[in-house]
Amino acid sequence: MPDSATGWWFFLGVTALYLLSRWFLAWRQARRDGVSDPVSAAFADDEPDEANAALATGGFRSYRQFFGVVGAAVVVIAVVTLAEGGLRLVLMCTIVPVLVMALAYLDFRQAQAARATTRP
């Protein structure tokens, strides 16, 4: 966990970006499905029990999620070790949000596929 206030703001910002991305994807899907109130449907977007069981044990639900997290970590570590100064800041401010939104998209698609298999 972060030791400084800046680290905590970064951690909270990344978490908020992930949650907003997931909510936006659920809202957009509800609009496509023709739901009368897509905002409420996006907030009520629940994942199936199988998906929550994987999260409770700390596991990944698919290899895509695992390799997405590992790949994102490798990219961030490469930027931190290879870049310095202003270039590092610019790269981190552009690459990290893209990686976080890509991981939110992978999670959303995985949950959507799980819901599709559990529906009658």
Side-chain angles (χ1 to χ4, degrees):
M1 297 306 284
D3 291 336
S4 67
T6 305
W8 276 104
W9 281 113
F10 182 75
F11 181 74
L12 291 173
V14 166
T15 304
L17 179 62
Y18 175 84
L19 293 173
L20 283 171
S21 298
R22 280 292 302 261
W23 178 83
F24 174 76
L25 291 168
W27 172 78
R28 190 177 69 168
Q29 185 63 40
R31 282 192 60 204
R32 282 186 186 165
D33 292 344
V35 176
S36 61
D37 190 9
V39 174
S40 297
F43 281 117
D45 186 34
D46 293 329
E47 296 183 7
D49 292 334
E50 299 87 18
N52 290 332
L55 290 175
T57 60
F60 294 96
R61 289 176 265 161
S62 73
Y63 287 110
R64 286 183 191 157
Q65 288 177 317
F66 175 74
F67 288 121
V69 169
V70 170
V74 167
V75 168
V76 168
I77 290 170
V79 167
V80 168
T81 57
L82 298 176
E84 293 181 6
L87 178 62
R88 179 188 295 172
L89 180 64
V90 169
L91 287 174
M92 291 298 284
C93 288
T94 55
I95 292 174
V96 169
V98 170
L99 292 173
V100 168
M101 289 186 286
L103 291 174
Y105 179 75
L106 283 174
D107 290 347
F108 174 76
R109 296 292 295 178
Q110 186 69 27
Q112 189 179 25
R115 274 193 303 277
T117 59
T118 60
R119 288 184 185 157

